[in-house]
Amino acid sequence: MRIRIILMPKELRLNRQIRVFLSLLILAFLCQPLGASPADDHVSDKPGALIVSKNKGYMNTNSSIQDVMNHPSFKGFGQFILPLDNRAYDGNMRLSRVGSLFTYHIQIEPEAVVDTINYMIDQVAEEKIIFNDFYTELQKQENPAKRNTGLFFFKGKPGAPFAIVCPGGGFSYVGSVHEGFPHATQLSKKGYNAFVLQYRIGGEQRACEDLAAAISYIFKHAGSLGVSTKDYSVWGSSAGARMAAQIGSYGPARYGGNDLPRPRVVVMAYTGHSSFTRDDPPTFVVQGENDGIVNVSTVDRRVDAMRNAGIEVEYHKYRNVVHGFGLGIGTNAEGWTEYALKFWEKHISE
């Protein structure tokens, strides 16, 4: 009996501890948000990074290509966010491997891609229209390939000049999320209106036709878009820089667009485009010295020839930088877009 009298209180205390522990577990479970799981939250390893939950509509590096394509913010144009362009791809591939989609680019940081996509989601949440069709439905019916086009819009100050950015991709894909959206975001944050062109792949001619059509669309709808058509600039990288250069040399009408002024300034990044006219607008050129795709001596010769023809050219060449560096973050080319913007601003009339 003494033994029972001594053990019984301990057993009761133990049972009470177990009951309390189970109650706390149940309470913790009930307090979890519906549908949430540890995998739904992504914590960047960068200092000061925020926790981003998929429940809020944001992407993270564990999100898939399909998640981006089917995101409600991108309804009707989600297929243009990443460089898919009718190529074979695994819809379940995570954004942590997004760099594998870029054949001609380096410095593809998954976290940077995610940040760009989430910024665009925020723009839609603010009820901003970020995508416009520049071909009519009739034009698309007549040429179904034109359905693979559009203009992403990163709005700046009302009435400010606009820039149109042409990403590269060897005319086999459009690398907007690396060298289109980030550039346009920077420009819009400086107060300028910026567009990113989604063009048809397959060759320079049709891509330039799309660029000419897009510029014509912007001029026609400048009032509703809230942009000034004065002193506009055209930016391009790699294949996109070829497009920018051609419009700079010949204007939109040469490629089926309206009879409009040529851009006030052309900004070209890492391209071996060699031709020009004596009437080319002021041109900003940026190039990596270790480019394995572009012959750097070709760029040097073109710059010298343009300067000898009386064309103003600002040329930045960076050591230890290869092809497709985008904004150049983490390389010697980092910050080049600031110089390009100042070059454009120098030629914007009051």
Side-chain angles (χ1 to χ4, degrees):
M1 292 297 292
R2 289 181 181 177
I3 293 174
R4 293 183 64 187
I5 292 171
I6 294 171
L7 291 178
M8 197 66 178
K10 290 184 178 180
E11 291 176 347
L12 288 172
R13 286 197 299 270
L14 181 59
N15 290 336
R16 186 180 298 110
Q17 289 172 348
I18 292 173
R19 288 197 300 272
V20 170
F21 177 72
L22 290 175
S23 298
L24 289 173
L25 281 178
I26 293 171
L27 180 62
F29 176 79
L30 292 175
C31 289
Q32 283 286 331
L34 292 177
S37 69
D40 283 333
D41 289 331
H42 167 67
V43 183
S44 172
D45 56 4
K46 294 183 179 179
L50 296 175
I51 297 175
V52 178
S53 170
K54 287 174 70 175
N55 292 323
K56 297 177 182 177
Y58 291 132
M59 298 289 105
N60 59 54
T61 55
N62 288 322
S63 302
S64 69
I65 291 177
Q66 208 71 277
D67 290 334
V68 177
M69 291 181 63
N70 296 331
H71 196 284
S73 295
F74 306 142
K75 186 176 181 180
F77 57 89
Q79 68 274 24
F80 302 140
I81 303 295
L82 297 171
L84 306 177
D85 299 286
N86 297 322
R87 298 184 297 165
Y89 62 89
D90 177 7
N92 294 317
M93 189 185 83
R94 294 184 177 185
L95 295 182
S96 58
R97 296 182 51 225
V98 70
S100 64
L101 297 174
F102 294 80
T103 306
Y104 303 109
H105 296 82
I106 64 160
Q107 302 298 123
I108 311 297
E109 296 291 341
E111 292 82 4
V113 170
V114 167
D115 288 344
T116 295
I117 293 172
N118 287 337
Y119 176 80
M120 295 169 71
I121 291 172
D122 283 339
Q123 294 293 289
V124 175
E126 294 175 11
E127 299 185 350
K128 294 180 180 177
I129 297 175
I130 67 168
F131 187 80
N132 294 270
D133 288 305
F134 56 84
Y135 284 125
T136 65
E137 185 58 34
L138 178 59
Q139 289 172 315
K140 293 176 183 180
Q141 290 176 4
E142 293 173 345
N143 186 345
K146 290 183 176 179
R147 296 190 181 279
N148 299 318
T149 64
L151 267 179
F152 288 90
F153 186 21
F154 294 74
K155 198 168 184 61
K157 294 180 180 178
F162 77 87
I164 184 165
V165 184
C166 307
F171 298 115
S172 62
Y173 64 86
V174 183
S176 298
V177 79
H178 178 58
E179 56 188 24
F181 304 149
H183 300 55
T185 297
Q186 285 193 348
L187 290 169
S188 69
K189 288 181 177 179
K190 295 288 187 179
Y192 296 98
N193 293 293
F195 297 89
V196 178
L197 178 67
Q198 173 68 31
Y199 54 88
R200 289 171 293 166
I201 59 173
E204 183 177 313
Q205 176 67 32
R206 66 174 62 181
C208 286
E209 290 172 1
D210 293 341
L211 176 55
I215 295 172
S216 299
Y217 172 89
I218 295 170
F219 268 74
K220 182 177 180 179
H221 299 278
S224 59
L225 292 169
V227 306
S228 169
T229 57
K230 190 175 182 181
D231 298 323
Y232 76 99
S233 62
V234 178
W235 300 47
S237 300
S238 195
R242 291 180 175 274
M243 299 159 57
Q246 294 287 29
I247 293 297
S249 293
Y250 304 108
R254 171 70 173 266
Y255 292 96
N258 296 334
D259 187 12
L260 300 171
R262 290 176 300 160
R264 188 69 183 89
V265 160
V266 169
V267 177
M268 303 173 62
Y270 40 86
T271 180
H273 181 82
S274 58
S275 67
F276 67 93
T277 71
R278 291 184 175 273
D279 296 323
D280 270 27
T283 301
F284 183 96
V285 179
V286 62
Q287 180 65 47
E289 284 189 351
N290 293 1
D291 197 318
I293 294 178
V294 171
N295 189 328
V296 180
S297 62
T298 300
V299 182
D300 294 341
R301 287 194 297 270
R302 181 177 185 269
V303 168
D304 289 340
M306 292 179 75
R307 286 172 171 168
N308 290 335
I311 301 167
E312 182 182 355
V313 180
E314 184 172 327
Y315 184 22
H316 292 250
K317 186 163 56 174
Y318 295 99
R319 298 182 61 184
N320 302 318
V321 175
V322 296
H323 190 81
F325 51 81
L327 294 180
I329 295 173
T331 75
N332 290 329
E334 185 170 348
W336 75 265
T337 52
E338 290 291 333
Y339 295 114
L341 176 57
K342 290 178 181 177
F343 183 79
W344 179 29
E345 289 177 332
K346 183 174 70 172
H347 294 281
I348 294 176
S349 58
E350 297 295 333

